[in-house]
Amino acid sequence: MMPSLFIAHGAPLLAIENNEYTQFLNQLGQTFPRPKAIILFSAHWESRAQKVSEVDQYDTIYDFGGFDPELYTIKYPAQGDMEISKEIKELFKENGIPFEVETKRGLDHGAWVVLRMLYPNADVPVISMSVNSALSPEEQYKIGKSLAALRANDVLIIGSGGTVHNLRAVSWGDDGAVHQWALEFDDWIAHHLHTWDTDSLFKYDSLAPNAENAVPRFGNEHFVPLFYAMGAADNNRKAALLHRSYRYGNLSHSVWQFG
């Protein structure tokens, strides 16, 4: 059975950098059997309604500004998979999860930066999914859980975001010591993921140390894909930290495998 993954997509510059984290991601896609398709929940696609893509071939979205011009030349022409999209819709109906179909939107950098390193030839079909940061963690987990059966059909489910992602707190240009508050938050998250303690994780904002810095109140969209990915492995509750590193003092690059 395919695992589900939570993958930090970091800053857009990852797409053209060569560092410890990009080297890890370049190898990660080779450690699993080749998936039939990928379902990806991106922090950069927020919607109050759960969106399910039905796209034949995706455009590449450059949803950032002021970066190296090379980034704006990158293309990731992934194709969709209408049959998997249909299965997603059927599972949502069975589980009472309202949704809307999206037929035009391309892949944002939360999706293509990660996918391009895992599968550089863009030859694995992708179904792009929105996230709703206004939902409770329990509801986000339930959406992921409703898709768990697809993992047995060689479908890889990914949540793309970041556990510590506060752009007001990062120290751009500083790749020295990691800020202690970020480590404390990630260590707390890691402990409760390893024990599958959803009761505590669902209350991370009040229980986890330094949660107000790691997941700022003005934006939790990068953290919540963790719950979608975790829920997708509810039928096999195992969590493994595959990688953790940091950039700019506290921007976490963590990869979790569930199931």
Side-chain angles (χ1 to χ4, degrees):
M1 180 177 289
M2 277 286 177
S4 61
L5 300 172
F6 174 79
I7 302 178
H9 60 250
L13 284 171
L14 274 182
I16 57 174
E17 290 178 328
N18 180 16
N19 55 42
E20 174 189 2
Y21 187 44
T22 62
Q23 291 167 15
F24 170 80
L25 291 179
N26 284 332
Q27 295 297 316
L28 181 61
Q30 302 173 33
T31 63
F32 308 115
R34 184 178 181 81
K36 175 181 178 181
I38 297 169
I39 297 172
L40 189 143
F41 293 89
S42 173
H44 286 275
W45 186 11
E46 289 192 87
S47 174
R48 294 297 182 182
Q50 177 61 56
K51 297 295 184 89
V52 180
S53 287
E54 287 187 355
V55 175
D56 288 322
Q57 184 160 350
Y58 292 94
D59 293 327
T60 304
I61 301 174
Y62 308 103
D63 51 333
F64 47 79
F67 287 93
D68 190 310
E70 182 182 349
L71 284 172
Y72 304 91
T73 68
I74 294 174
K75 303 289 184 183
Y76 193 79
Q79 294 183 343
D81 187 314
M82 296 300 178
E83 186 58 35
I84 300 296
S85 293
K86 180 181 178 181
E87 291 183 47
I88 292 170
K89 292 186 296 181
E90 290 174 350
L91 288 169
F92 280 167
K93 290 176 182 176
E94 291 173 10
N95 288 276
I97 296 171
F99 65 89
E100 296 177 0
V101 172
E102 169 57 53
T103 61
K104 296 181 180 180
R105 190 179 190 275
L107 294 177
D108 58 67
H109 84 271
W112 64 259
V113 167
V114 168
L115 293 172
R116 184 168 172 265
M117 284 186 271
L118 268 60
Y119 302 103
N121 295 325
D123 52 359
V124 178
V126 175
I127 298 86
S128 184
M129 308 280 281
S130 66
V131 301
N132 183 352
S133 58
L135 294 178
S136 68
E138 293 93 335
E139 291 170 310
Q140 294 153 354
Y141 186 98
K142 179 183 176 182
I143 292 171
K145 181 180 177 180
S146 72
L147 303 178
L150 292 174
R151 293 173 43 236
N153 194 25
D154 297 328
V155 175
L156 177 62
I157 299 175
I158 298 175
S160 173
T163 52
V164 181
H165 191 280
N166 183 348
L167 298 185
R168 298 181 185 179
V170 298
S171 301
W172 296 108
D174 177 12
D175 280 330
V178 181
H179 299 171
Q180 185 63 29
W181 62 264
L183 289 172
E184 291 174 356
F185 177 82
D186 266 345
D187 285 346
W188 186 94
I189 294 296
H191 171 74
H192 293 283
L193 285 174
H194 280 131
T195 57
W196 212 271
D197 181 5
T198 53
D199 287 342
S200 296
L201 287 166
F202 291 166
K203 301 175 183 175
Y204 76 91
D205 55 345
S206 61
L207 296 180
N210 311 305
E212 69 280 2
N213 281 331
V215 187
R217 296 186 184 278
F218 57 80
N220 65 346
E221 72 287 338
H222 278 74
F223 187 75
V224 301
L226 181 72
F227 294 122
Y228 293 88
M230 189 182 186
D234 182 79
N235 54 358
N236 188 10
R237 297 182 170 190
K238 298 178 181 178
L241 180 61
L242 303 185
H243 178 92
R244 190 171 83 175
S245 58
Y246 297 84
R247 294 292 302 277
Y248 318 122
N250 55 61
L251 184 65
S252 67
H253 291 160
S254 56
V255 177
W256 282 91
Q257 176 179 329
F258 302 117

